[in-house]
Amino acid sequence: EFEFIAPIRSVPYSTWSTAGAILTQTGIPQILPEYHWKSRTEYNMDYIAQVKGIPDILSSINYNLKYSTNGENSIMGFDKWVKSRNYSRIYTAKSDEDLFSFFTDKYLTEIDNDIRNNNTKYLLFIVNTNTHSPYNIPKWCNLKFPKIAQAQKCFYCVDNLLGKFVKKFLELKMDEHTLLAFFSDH
């Protein structure tokens, strides 16, 4: 039914916002020669631009590549890389709540119907906002928190949205035709 892999230790030379996406979509880890903040901001994804990966393979067999995020997500040329892989942007959200509501309340049902009725194939790439320090609880999150640290409260808000998304995915029985993979930033 599912596989959970943890803990995955983050190390400085392979840590950046684009690292998870690059690894899962090309199979190549992102290795930075220098991990200090001022140096890392200068690196981009150009070195990986010519590497064929999952999006290229699936696109060649008529999958529709769709992409959605909060904002442009241009860090290190990430948005440029997504566009170069022929993903088409389907939605730009204002917040994590907006992003997940779009999929949970509308889009999952639409693509499920399209897959079942027309045998259309999709690769969806959904990127939510990061949860970095100072770990502010988003304005949209009005959950009752257990006694946990501030950072955990921030994660709790996003986990709640992911839970609703997965519940809708399973409610539609999309697991009959779709592989769902989550990976964290960094």
Side-chain angles (χ1 to χ4, degrees), residues 72-141:
E72 290 302 310
N73 209 353
S74 61
I75 190 167
M76 294 183 77
F78 184 62
D79 207 45
K80 178 181 165 188
W81 181 84
V82 168
K83 290 174 185 171
S84 75
R85 306 274 64 93
N86 296 316
Y87 279 98
S88 62
R89 185 181 292 270
I90 53 173
Y91 190 67
T92 303
K94 298 177 192 99
S95 67
D96 283 343
E97 182 183 43
D98 181 34
L99 180 70
F100 284 100
S101 292
F102 170 77
F103 283 94
T104 304
D105 299 341
K106 178 183 181 210
Y107 202 71
L108 283 181
T109 302
E110 288 179 17
I111 64 167
D112 180 55
N113 287 333
D114 195 25
I115 292 167
R116 291 182 191 279
N117 297 328
N118 303 316
N119 202 28
T120 307
K121 294 177 173 67
Y122 289 93
L123 173 60
L124 296 181
F125 190 22
I126 306 166
V127 181
N128 70 304
T129 300
N130 57 44
T131 48
H132 291 93
S133 63
Y135 303 111
N136 295 320
I137 298 171
K139 292 178 184 176
W140 53 262
C141 185

Side-chain angles (χ1 to χ4, degrees), residues 113-178:
N113 287 333
D114 195 25
I115 292 167
R116 291 182 191 279
N117 297 328
N118 303 316
N119 202 28
T120 307
K121 294 177 173 67
Y122 289 93
L123 173 60
L124 296 181
F125 190 22
I126 306 166
V127 181
N128 70 304
T129 300
N130 57 44
T131 48
H132 291 93
S133 63
Y135 303 111
N136 295 320
I137 298 171
K139 292 178 184 176
W140 53 262
C141 185
N142 55 7
L143 299 171
K144 291 186 179 186
F145 297 106
K147 292 182 180 181
I148 54 178
Q150 184 70 14
Q152 296 304 89
K153 290 177 183 177
C154 184
F155 303 148
Y156 197 79
C157 294
V158 176
D159 285 349
N160 184 268
L161 295 175
L162 287 172
K164 290 176 183 177
F165 178 88
V166 171
K167 183 178 178 182
K168 182 66 172 187
F169 179 86
L170 294 173
E171 186 180 288
L172 292 169
K173 298 182 180 177
M174 290 184 74
D175 55 318
E176 295 174 352
H177 56 65
T178 299

Side-chain angles (χ1 to χ4, degrees), residues 60-73:
S60 74
I61 56 173
N62 299 319
Y63 273 69
N64 292 296
L65 279 56
K66 305 291 183 182
Y67 173 65
S68 188
T69 187
N70 294 348
E72 290 302 310
N73 209 353

